[in-house]
Amino acid sequence: MDVISCILFAQRSRSDGFRDGFRGTTGSDDVLLGLLIVAALVAGMWAISRLVSVGRKRRGYNGPWRLFWALCKAHHLNWSDRWLLYRVARNQALHDPGRLFLEAQHWEEKNLGPRFALEYPRLKALRTRIFGEMTRSPVVEPVSRPVPLVSRPAPPLFPGLPSPTLDVPPWTGERR
């Protein structure tokens, strides 16, 4: 019955009263409140950006240990292998642990010491995996005189195939 009376008698509805509250004039208090909200948002965003930049500076993206972990990841080492190499680098007091991936002498049994005696077969397999076959045989080949190179003709880039021919049906051939 209330709905019918609103329609028939054109009474004010509740929404009209609610709408009128927003139609009033904006005072200086409302403008000041809006400015304070905007200033608080800007100050919050500035503070968050400062915290993020301080965290980046403190972490150091170009540190020697970050390089070590990146090299471990590049060589697809599992976590236990990474941890073993970490222990080797700490044991040898390497300031730059990435040198383990460059200098094979860090992997030798005499440099590892008795602490890694049980781990030496595993380290030997890792050394072969990282350095390849060059570290397997410690024999150094004697330096010999360079042999002059004889230039040979380069092989063709593509295989030699007979040139294509036009396949013409017999009824369209030449007529005599």
Side-chain angles (χ1 to χ4, degrees):
M1 175 122 184
D2 189 33
V3 175
I4 295 174
S5 64
C6 285
I7 293 173
L8 293 177
F9 300 114
Q11 292 180 349
R12 284 181 63 129
S13 66
R14 288 184 215 166
S15 62
D16 290 337
F18 183 70
R19 216 174 326 143
D20 288 341
F22 287 107
R23 287 187 183 164
T25 59
T26 347
S28 60
D29 293 341
D30 296 333
V31 172
L32 183 62
L33 179 65
L35 288 175
L36 284 175
I37 290 172
V38 168
L41 286 173
V42 169
M45 289 171 42
W46 175 80
I48 289 172
S49 71
R50 293 288 294 179
L51 287 174
V52 168
S53 68
V54 165
R56 283 187 185 158
K57 287 178 186 174
R58 189 176 19 185
R59 245 184 289 167
Y61 286 112
N62 297 326
W65 285 103
R66 291 229 181 234
L67 174 64
F68 172 76
W69 293 116
L71 286 170
C72 287
K73 186 177 180 182
H75 284 280
H76 305 290
L77 300 179
N78 60 22
W79 183 249
S80 63
D81 293 339
R82 291 178 192 193
W83 184 250
L84 178 62
L85 291 183
Y86 169 80
R87 288 182 18 226
V88 168
R90 296 290 284 189
N91 186 45
Q92 294 183 7
L94 293 176
H95 178 66
D96 297 321
R99 294 174 71 184
L100 282 175
F101 292 90
L102 297 174
E103 300 166 353
Q105 71 264 19
H106 293 292
W107 297 76
E108 294 174 3
E109 196 169 3
K110 64 181 179 179
N111 291 335
L112 292 172
R115 186 174 186 181
F116 294 100
L118 295 175
E119 307 271 349
Y120 188 68
R122 189 168 149 208
L123 284 167
K124 195 173 183 181
L126 276 173
R127 181 177 69 179
T128 304
R129 182 174 168 190
I130 290 173
F131 289 104
E133 297 294 322
M134 70 174 230
T135 59
R136 275 202 180 167
S137 60
V139 177
V140 179
E141 296 179 12
V143 178
S144 62
R145 275 194 266 162
V147 178
L149 296 175
V150 178
S151 61
R152 296 181 189 161
L157 294 176
F158 298 103
L161 296 176
S163 59
T165 59
L166 185 60
D167 190 21
V168 179
W171 58 87
T172 59
E174 291 182 26
R175 293 185 184 169
R176 290 186 185 195

